[in-house]
Amino acid sequence: MNPESAGTGRWAAIGHAGEADGDLDAMHLARTVTREVRRTGKHFLPQTLLLRLAEIRSGQALDRRPHLGAFLDCVLDKHEGRYGNRTYLSLPLLELLLDETDDVPDPNRMATLLISDVIRFELQAEAPEGESREPHGSRESVDRDPPDPVTLRKRLRHALRFVGHEPGAPEADDLISRAAHVPGSRWADVAELLPRPTVTEAGHWFDVTVQPVYVLHDEYFFIRALQAHEMVFTAIAADVREAIGALRAGRLDAAADHVDRAAGLLDRASALFRMVATMRPGHFSAFRQFTQGASAIQSEQYKRFEILCGLPTAPRLGSEAFTQVPAVRAEAAGEGHDTVVRAYLDLRRSARFGEAEWNRFRNALGGLEERHQRWKSTHRSLAARMLGGEHGSGGTAGVPYLAECLDNRLFWQLGERPRADEPA
């Protein structure tokens, strides 16, 4: 593949094709670039195109075009030496969509939309031989090594179960039952039942938030799964913040409810691993060589969840887990940073509640700790299958690093399991 195969003239005109009366059509530009990304892989974009995009960005008032600015920042990350997990997953653009208006879904709902999109993407591989496949969003209709039917059905079942877990979505068992009875194993009717982004500007930008580095089929669903994971942990962190606020307000039952909800969302995050486990190791190895520098260890939302539960140990805060997320590390060191542990111990001193109420909250913390340990164990098992003895893409030792992380506890300051009788 020759990244300079496209002539300079082809890309010199990009941007002008989307102009109307001198006003750049940002959505047209984003779709045009996304088609090229998915044709070649972001790692192989022609230098002439990258230079043209950098020129367009420098000539735009991006404070009035935040979506375009976020999109171009993600596309140009490798070109400008800023490549990392956030830009690989187009998180700056996805987060803008979350912050837009009241019509935009919360992070948990966004995760559902992301995996619903995976199902529609994968259904292209389900089309019978010889039947034309509709392009998915800005993606070309030519597929590069779609999965075999057994792998595809397994992936779709796990994806449907994830979607069905979200309140307001169709029940997973009902969706799977319908899929099993669609003539010719076609699931298109099922896809019509799945949630979609709203028909707004935000919904259109949703379509261009997948920018694979290579050209193999499985990277699309892998990116969507990691995006969904970030969204779920965004929702988990929000519930943990609410739990802290409830503790500070003396509402112990409400705090327990938020901790229970966070634990349930951790189960949802674990369900994503089952879907990712259907990724073919050959595909993973092929595109992973172009993702060095973008690693899940850079997940700010996961670390933010961790520091909201309780302040990590000094070795943990000084480890590569936190040196790679300096913004979160700074939050943890901030004078006003609060945690569930700190708020709980402060409220405990008040002796305002009976043992039954304290025990209920203690059990909620224990449940969250157990779910977190289960999540980490599942992550390690999946990494062992995919990575074997290779190092992690963030520079870690890979599987041994994840094994060491099993010793970390969210509520280590409260003992092996959170107890209701900590000393004042």
Side-chain angles (χ1 to χ4, degrees), residues 147-209:
D148 63 85
V150 173
T151 300
L152 175 62
R153 284 165 178 73
K154 185 184 295 185
R155 186 174 297 172
L156 288 170
R157 282 197 299 272
H158 287 311
L160 285 170
R161 291 196 182 282
F162 181 89
V163 169
H165 184 274
E166 206 262 324
E171 291 290 336
D173 289 341
D174 180 55
L175 289 172
I176 292 171
S177 176
R178 285 172 180 257
H181 293 93
V182 174
S185 299
R186 299 280 307 284
W187 291 30
D189 292 343
V190 175
E192 289 303 312
L193 301 175
L194 302 176
R196 293 179 181 271
T198 56
V199 186
T200 61
E201 183 181 11
H204 293 313
W205 283 101
F206 178 91
D207 291 337
V208 297
T209 54

Side-chain angles (χ1 to χ4, degrees), residues 276-281 379-388 399:
V276 173
T278 68
M279 183 166 55
R280 290 161 288 178
H379 187 193
R380 180 191 60 177
S381 298
L382 178 60
R385 176 177 177 272
M386 292 293 176
L387 289 178
V399 177

Side-chain angles (χ1 to χ4, degrees), residues 44 88 121-122 125 133 139 142-148 151-152 155 212-223 275-292 385-387 390:
F44 297 96
Y88 175 55
F121 172 83
E122 294 293 338
R133 295 174 180 171
R139 185 175 175 276
V142 176
D143 208 343
R144 291 170 169 91
D145 195 19
D148 63 85
T151 300
L152 175 62
R155 186 174 297 172
V213 295
Y214 198 44
V215 294
L216 290 176
H217 178 98
D218 281 7
E219 191 183 359
Y220 186 104
F221 105 85
F222 178 68
I223 289 173
M275 188 176 73
V276 173
T278 68
M279 183 166 55
R280 290 161 288 178
H283 277 215
F284 183 58
S285 297
F287 69 75
R288 185 174 179 269
Q289 62 185 307
F290 306 117
T291 64
Q292 294 303 313
R385 176 177 177 272
M386 292 293 176
L387 289 178
E390 294 184 31

